[in-house]
mmCIF file of all heavy atoms in Angstrom:
data_model
loop_
_atom_site.group_PDB
_atom_site.id
_atom_site.type_symbol
_atom_site.label_atom_id
_atom_site.label_comp_id
_atom_site.label_asym_id
_atom_site.label_seq_id
_atom_site.Cartn_x
_atom_site.Cartn_y
_atom_site.Cartn_z
ATOM 1 N N ASP R 24 19.719 3.891 -8.445
ATOM 2 C CA ASP R 24 18.926 2.692 -8.700
ATOM 3 C C ASP R 24 17.465 3.097 -8.899
ATOM 4 O O ASP R 24 16.772 3.484 -7.953
ATOM 5 C CB ASP R 24 19.063 1.733 -7.517
ATOM 6 C CG ASP R 24 18.355 0.399 -7.761
ATOM 7 O OD1 ASP R 24 17.580 0.295 -8.731
ATOM 8 O OD2 ASP R 24 18.588 -0.530 -6.967
ATOM 9 N N GLY R 38 20.952 11.690 0.331
ATOM 10 C CA GLY R 38 21.733 12.712 -0.366
ATOM 11 C C GLY R 38 22.470 12.155 -1.562
ATOM 12 O O GLY R 38 23.108 11.100 -1.471
ATOM 13 N N SER R 54 8.953 18.649 3.686
ATOM 14 C CA SER R 54 8.549 19.710 2.756
ATOM 15 C C SER R 54 8.174 19.153 1.377
ATOM 16 O O SER R 54 7.721 19.892 0.511
ATOM 17 C CB SER R 54 9.678 20.735 2.596
ATOM 18 O OG SER R 54 10.830 20.126 2.031
ATOM 19 N N THR R 57 13.056 18.856 -3.020
ATOM 20 C CA THR R 57 14.495 18.623 -3.077
ATOM 21 C C THR R 57 15.231 19.887 -2.665
ATOM 22 O O THR R 57 14.871 20.997 -3.064
ATOM 23 C CB THR R 57 14.918 18.226 -4.505
ATOM 24 O OG1 THR R 57 14.308 19.121 -5.444
ATOM 25 C CG2 THR R 57 14.503 16.811 -4.828
ATOM 26 N N GLU R 69 36.529 35.742 -7.947
ATOM 27 C CA GLU R 69 37.192 36.833 -8.659
ATOM 28 C C GLU R 69 37.735 37.822 -7.635
ATOM 29 O O GLU R 69 37.052 38.169 -6.671
ATOM 30 C CB GLU R 69 36.203 37.546 -9.587
ATOM 31 C CG GLU R 69 35.581 36.649 -10.641
ATOM 32 C CD GLU R 69 34.493 37.367 -11.410
ATOM 33 O OE1 GLU R 69 34.821 38.298 -12.170
ATOM 34 O OE2 GLU R 69 33.318 37.008 -11.223
ATOM 35 N N ASN R 99 26.340 29.385 -9.922
ATOM 36 C CA ASN R 99 25.356 29.227 -10.985
ATOM 37 C C ASN R 99 24.592 27.931 -10.749
ATOM 38 O O ASN R 99 25.196 26.883 -10.540
ATOM 39 C CB ASN R 99 26.032 29.182 -12.357
ATOM 40 C CG ASN R 99 26.739 30.486 -12.687
ATOM 41 O OD1 ASN R 99 26.135 31.547 -12.665
ATOM 42 N ND2 ASN R 99 28.031 30.414 -12.970
ATOM 43 N N LYS R 109 7.116 25.088 -5.048
ATOM 44 C CA LYS R 109 7.710 25.167 -3.712
ATOM 45 C C LYS R 109 8.417 26.508 -3.549
ATOM 46 O O LYS R 109 8.933 27.087 -4.508
ATOM 47 C CB LYS R 109 8.711 24.032 -3.487
ATOM 48 C CG LYS R 109 8.099 22.641 -3.513
ATOM 49 C CD LYS R 109 7.117 22.449 -2.382
ATOM 50 C CE LYS R 109 6.507 21.066 -2.428
ATOM 51 N NZ LYS R 109 5.523 20.861 -1.347
ATOM 52 N N TYR R 111 11.576 28.468 -1.955
ATOM 53 C CA TYR R 111 12.956 28.191 -1.553
ATOM 54 C C TYR R 111 13.608 29.428 -0.946
ATOM 55 O O TYR R 111 13.375 30.552 -1.409
ATOM 56 C CB TYR R 111 13.790 27.765 -2.763
ATOM 57 C CG TYR R 111 13.581 26.340 -3.196
ATOM 58 C CD1 TYR R 111 12.566 25.999 -4.082
ATOM 59 C CD2 TYR R 111 14.397 25.320 -2.719
ATOM 60 C CE1 TYR R 111 12.372 24.680 -4.490
ATOM 61 C CE2 TYR R 111 14.212 23.999 -3.118
ATOM 62 C CZ TYR R 111 13.197 23.695 -4.003
ATOM 63 O OH TYR R 111 13.017 22.391 -4.401
ATOM 64 N N THR R 116 26.666 30.211 3.499
ATOM 65 C CA THR R 116 27.205 29.793 4.787
ATOM 66 C C THR R 116 28.676 30.173 4.824
ATOM 67 O O THR R 116 29.473 29.685 4.020
ATOM 68 C CB THR R 116 27.033 28.277 5.010
ATOM 69 O OG1 THR R 116 25.634 27.970 4.982
ATOM 70 C CG2 THR R 116 27.593 27.848 6.351
ATOM 71 N N LYS R 118 32.192 31.806 7.335
ATOM 72 C CA LYS R 118 32.846 31.963 8.629
ATOM 73 C C LYS R 118 33.870 33.079 8.503
ATOM 74 O O LYS R 118 34.494 33.242 7.450
ATOM 75 C CB LYS R 118 33.527 30.643 9.022
ATOM 76 C CG LYS R 118 34.294 30.689 10.334
ATOM 77 C CD LYS R 118 34.703 29.288 10.792
ATOM 78 C CE LYS R 118 35.755 28.656 9.922
ATOM 79 N NZ LYS R 118 36.225 27.361 10.439
ATOM 80 N N ALA R 123 40.528 38.028 10.589
ATOM 81 C CA ALA R 123 39.844 38.694 9.470
ATOM 82 C C ALA R 123 39.972 40.208 9.615
ATOM 83 O O ALA R 123 39.895 40.752 10.717
ATOM 84 C CB ALA R 123 38.376 38.291 9.433
ATOM 85 N N SER R 128 33.132 47.805 5.597
ATOM 86 C CA SER R 128 32.079 48.155 4.642
ATOM 87 C C SER R 128 31.223 46.917 4.357
ATOM 88 O O SER R 128 31.761 45.816 4.207
ATOM 89 C CB SER R 128 32.679 48.673 3.331
ATOM 90 O OG SER R 128 33.368 49.882 3.556
ATOM 91 N N PRO R 129 29.904 47.084 4.262
ATOM 92 C CA PRO R 129 29.035 45.921 4.030
ATOM 93 C C PRO R 129 29.316 45.243 2.693
ATOM 94 O O PRO R 129 29.722 45.885 1.724
ATOM 95 C CB PRO R 129 27.621 46.520 4.038
ATOM 96 C CG PRO R 129 27.749 47.811 4.782
ATOM 97 C CD PRO R 129 29.132 48.313 4.463
ATOM 98 N N VAL R 140 13.582 38.169 -11.648
ATOM 99 C CA VAL R 140 13.486 38.567 -10.239
ATOM 100 C C VAL R 140 14.886 38.636 -9.635
ATOM 101 O O VAL R 140 15.702 37.732 -9.833
ATOM 102 C CB VAL R 140 12.611 37.564 -9.448
ATOM 103 C CG1 VAL R 140 12.684 37.837 -7.949
ATOM 104 C CG2 VAL R 140 11.175 37.620 -9.937
ATOM 105 N N SER R 153 33.560 35.504 15.307
ATOM 106 C CA SER R 153 34.666 34.803 14.648
ATOM 107 C C SER R 153 34.589 33.297 14.861
ATOM 108 O O SER R 153 34.102 32.815 15.896
ATOM 109 C CB SER R 153 36.013 35.304 15.172
ATOM 110 O OG SER R 153 36.172 36.667 14.891
ATOM 111 N N GLU R 154 35.098 32.570 13.847
ATOM 112 C CA GLU R 154 35.280 31.117 13.912
ATOM 113 C C GLU R 154 33.974 30.339 14.094
ATOM 114 O O GLU R 154 33.972 29.228 14.623
ATOM 115 C CB GLU R 154 36.279 30.738 15.023
ATOM 116 C CG GLU R 154 37.665 31.356 14.853
ATOM 117 C CD GLU R 154 38.390 30.874 13.589
ATOM 118 O OE1 GLU R 154 38.047 29.805 13.075
ATOM 119 O OE2 GLU R 154 39.306 31.590 13.139
ATOM 120 N N VAL R 157 28.033 30.829 9.906
ATOM 121 C CA VAL R 157 26.768 31.564 9.963
ATOM 122 C C VAL R 157 26.098 31.488 8.603
ATOM 123 O O VAL R 157 26.736 31.691 7.563
ATOM 124 C CB VAL R 157 26.995 33.038 10.361
ATOM 125 C CG1 VAL R 157 25.674 33.813 10.301
ATOM 126 C CG2 VAL R 157 27.613 33.134 11.756
ATOM 127 N N ILE R 161 19.574 35.334 1.930
ATOM 128 C CA ILE R 161 19.388 36.458 1.013
ATOM 129 C C ILE R 161 17.901 36.769 0.839
ATOM 130 O O ILE R 161 17.484 37.921 0.804
ATOM 131 C CB ILE R 161 20.018 36.153 -0.359
ATOM 132 C CG1 ILE R 161 21.510 35.837 -0.196
ATOM 133 C CG2 ILE R 161 19.798 37.304 -1.336
ATOM 134 C CD1 ILE R 161 22.155 35.236 -1.438
ATOM 135 N N ASP R 163 13.818 34.681 -0.426
ATOM 136 C CA ASP R 163 13.185 33.473 -0.952
ATOM 137 C C ASP R 163 12.423 33.768 -2.234
ATOM 138 O O ASP R 163 12.232 34.922 -2.616
ATOM 139 C CB ASP R 163 12.288 32.812 0.102
ATOM 140 C CG ASP R 163 11.216 33.740 0.644
ATOM 141 O OD1 ASP R 163 10.636 34.517 -0.143
ATOM 142 O OD2 ASP R 163 10.953 33.684 1.851
ATOM 143 N N SER R 168 4.231 26.430 -10.722
ATOM 144 C CA SER R 168 3.704 25.057 -10.668
ATOM 145 C C SER R 168 4.158 24.214 -11.854
ATOM 146 O O SER R 168 4.191 22.989 -11.773
ATOM 147 C CB SER R 168 2.182 25.078 -10.597
ATOM 148 O OG SER R 168 1.649 25.776 -11.704
ATOM 149 N N ILE R 177 23.990 33.480 -8.185
ATOM 150 C CA ILE R 177 24.036 33.855 -6.771
ATOM 151 C C ILE R 177 25.400 34.491 -6.509
ATOM 152 O O ILE R 177 26.432 33.923 -6.880
ATOM 153 C CB ILE R 177 23.824 32.623 -5.874
ATOM 154 C CG1 ILE R 177 22.558 31.868 -6.315
ATOM 155 C CG2 ILE R 177 23.713 33.024 -4.417
ATOM 156 C CD1 ILE R 177 22.567 30.411 -5.998
ATOM 157 N N ILE R 192 34.335 30.636 2.765
ATOM 158 C CA ILE R 192 33.069 30.256 2.126
ATOM 159 C C ILE R 192 32.931 28.735 2.186
ATOM 160 O O ILE R 192 33.825 28.011 1.721
ATOM 161 C CB ILE R 192 33.022 30.703 0.646
ATOM 162 C CG1 ILE R 192 33.393 32.175 0.503
ATOM 163 C CG2 ILE R 192 31.668 30.371 0.017
ATOM 164 C CD1 ILE R 192 32.355 33.157 0.912
#
Side-chain angles (χ1 to χ4, degrees):
D24 185 348
S54 63
T57 47
E69 300 173 68
N99 296 305
K109 296 296 179 181
Y111 282 87
T116 299
K118 178 169 69 175
S128 295
V140 171
S153 298
E154 301 296 338
V157 175
I161 302 168
D163 57 40
S168 57
I177 309 153
I192 309 285

